[in-house]
Amino acid sequence: MIPTIIIVSVVAVGIVLFFVIQARVTAGKKEKLSPEAKTLNKKAAKLHGLAKKGDGEAAFNLYLMGKENLTVKGFKDKYKEYWTHLERAAKRGYPQAQYEYGLSKLYLNGALAVPYLEKAAEAGVIKASLALVRFYDTLSIGIKYDNFTSPDKKTCIELKAKWLEVAAEAGDDEAQASLGFLLLNELKDTRGALYWFEKAADKENSSGFLGAAQIYEKRGGYEKALKYYTLAAKQDYTSAQYMLGKFYLGDYAYDKEKALFWLNKAAEKGDIAATPAMDFLAQAYENGEIVEADPEKAAQWRKSIEKAFADFRKRNDKIEAKAEKDLQDG
């Protein structure tokens, strides 16, 4: 009778030999690539060759290819290193790469990122201009970032205006309207503001309509003010509906029915932007000058205002909590 220990040893040796043989067989075979992997590797190899010769666009396309195909089995690792390709493309002057690379570094290393974004913006990448606007906006309200020396508030506002103008000149209607409000409220340039508001209004931008309406109303151009307020209000712009309602209570176009229609339309949105209209109606029902006094309706609007602010604070708390978590995770 064969001892148990010998049987166990023979079985163990057999198992080991089986796996050794399998490993050798597997090693002797080339991994069969899928048609997709073959095609990707071929395209990537061509781009990689061009990128090594200094082609920024090729490096950027290689970055996109790597980013989009990380999970493709058989796609070579050196092509998946997309951040390396993005940095190479940015350094070689490809504008879209300069924007994406600059944006990725902006709040971590502004001194490194800002020059890349500036180059991209000057080359016509509107998103780069707007990224710079947002960055200087945060600096203007006192937020500090490591590795970046913040200019004073006045300079930050001037830089915001500079980069907004770059985007506005490129035809971005939101930038045109934003530049209008910046010139009007911060730099006190009413003429410049109206120019950009009307540029935005030509593209049916609701903020452009509203800004132009406000300037014309202050100047006594009531016909144009009414036109622009109405155009913005019909686009469901809450602030414009509120201002149009108030406009209909003025001497030029007095119409109480229209005024209440637009004031209620704005107030019924129930959000933070609707609070001026809610407050206006609450006061109206309290003093009884525009409508019959009604303390109950006045109280309802006051409660709606409280709810709008509570919802706003709750939403902000969630956003701040998420931002804090992202920073900790990052």
Side-chain angles (χ1 to χ4, degrees):
M1 187 172 179
I2 302 172
T4 302
I5 190 167
I6 294 175
I7 295 171
V8 171
S9 298
V10 170
V11 171
V13 169
I15 292 171
V16 170
L17 285 171
F18 172 79
F19 281 109
V20 168
I21 292 166
Q22 284 295 106
R24 285 181 177 177
V25 170
T26 304
K29 290 181 180 178
K30 278 190 172 181
E31 184 182 0
K32 191 173 182 181
L33 296 179
S34 67
E36 181 187 13
K38 285 181 180 179
T39 301
L40 284 171
N41 284 327
K42 186 176 179 180
K43 288 181 179 178
K46 184 177 179 181
L47 289 171
H48 195 259
L50 292 170
K52 285 175 72 174
K53 292 177 182 177
D55 189 326
E57 184 176 5
F60 182 69
N61 287 331
L62 189 57
Y63 151 73
L64 293 176
M65 184 177 284
K67 185 179 179 183
E68 292 165 5
N69 295 284
L70 283 173
T71 59
V72 176
K73 190 176 180 182
F75 185 44
K76 291 184 179 179
D77 287 342
K78 68 178 179 179
Y79 304 141
K80 291 181 181 180
E81 297 169 357
Y82 59 93
W83 283 113
T84 303
H85 306 312
L86 177 63
E87 184 177 8
R88 182 182 293 123
K91 286 181 176 178
R92 288 175 181 168
Y94 190 66
Q96 189 63 31
Q98 291 173 326
Y99 159 63
E100 295 205 23
Y101 183 69
L103 186 65
S104 72
K105 303 288 185 183
L106 185 56
Y107 297 99
L108 300 172
N109 189 344
L112 171 68
V114 166
Y116 280 108
L117 288 171
E118 288 178 343
K119 288 174 185 175
E122 287 162 357
V125 181
I126 292 175
K127 287 182 178 179
S129 301
L130 299 179
L132 287 165
V133 171
R134 290 191 296 272
F135 183 61
Y136 286 115
D137 190 42
T138 61
L139 293 175
S140 71
I141 59 175
I143 296 176
K144 305 288 184 184
Y145 297 100
D146 294 337
N147 302 312
F148 191 81
T149 303
S150 176
D152 59 53
K153 183 177 180 179
K154 182 176 181 294
T155 304
C156 285
I157 291 170
E158 289 170 349
L159 286 166
K160 276 174 61 181
K162 171 186 174 179
W163 295 112
L164 272 173
E165 187 169 4
V166 170
E169 291 283 6
D172 186 280
D173 58 298
E174 287 296 333
Q176 291 168 343
S178 295
L179 179 56
F181 282 114
L182 183 65
L183 290 170
L184 181 65
N185 299 321
E186 299 284 355
L187 299 176
K188 310 304 177 187
D189 179 1
T190 304
R191 180 178 295 180
L194 182 58
Y195 172 82
W196 287 113
F197 283 141
E198 293 201 306
K199 283 282 188 184
D202 288 342
K203 296 181 179 178
E204 300 189 351
N205 181 284
S206 56
S207 295
F209 288 146
L210 180 60
Q214 288 176 295
I215 290 177
Y216 278 116
E217 183 178 10
K218 285 180 181 177
R219 288 181 169 184
Y222 299 121
E223 185 177 348
K224 283 192 173 181
L226 178 58
K227 170 191 168 184
Y228 282 130
Y229 277 137
T230 304
L231 287 168
K234 285 182 176 179
Q235 289 187 350
D236 207 28
Y237 190 1
T238 306
S239 296
Q241 291 169 343
Y242 163 62
M243 291 182 183
L244 179 58
K246 286 179 62 181
F247 190 85
Y248 274 121
L249 293 173
D251 292 336
Y252 174 76
Y254 185 81
D255 188 321
K256 188 170 79 171
E257 187 177 334
K258 287 182 179 179
L260 290 172
F261 170 82
W262 287 111
L263 288 166
N264 277 284
K265 197 168 182 63
E268 285 163 4
K269 304 280 179 59
D271 57 15
I272 196 75
T275 53
M278 294 183 208
D279 182 64
F280 192 94
L281 288 170
Q283 290 186 54
Y285 283 113
E286 284 164 354
N287 60 38
E289 290 180 6
I290 301 168
V291 291
E292 186 177 344
D294 189 327
E296 188 175 333
K297 284 186 178 180
Q300 286 174 352
W301 283 121
R302 293 292 178 206
K303 285 181 182 177
S304 294
I305 293 170
E306 289 175 10
K307 184 178 182 303
F309 276 107
D311 290 345
F312 179 74
R313 285 191 293 269
K314 188 176 179 181
R315 191 161 52 251
N316 263 15
D317 289 343
K318 284 183 179 179
I319 292 169
E320 287 176 7
K322 185 180 183 303
E324 184 65 30
K325 184 177 182 302
D326 289 345
L327 282 172
Q328 291 172 356
D329 293 346

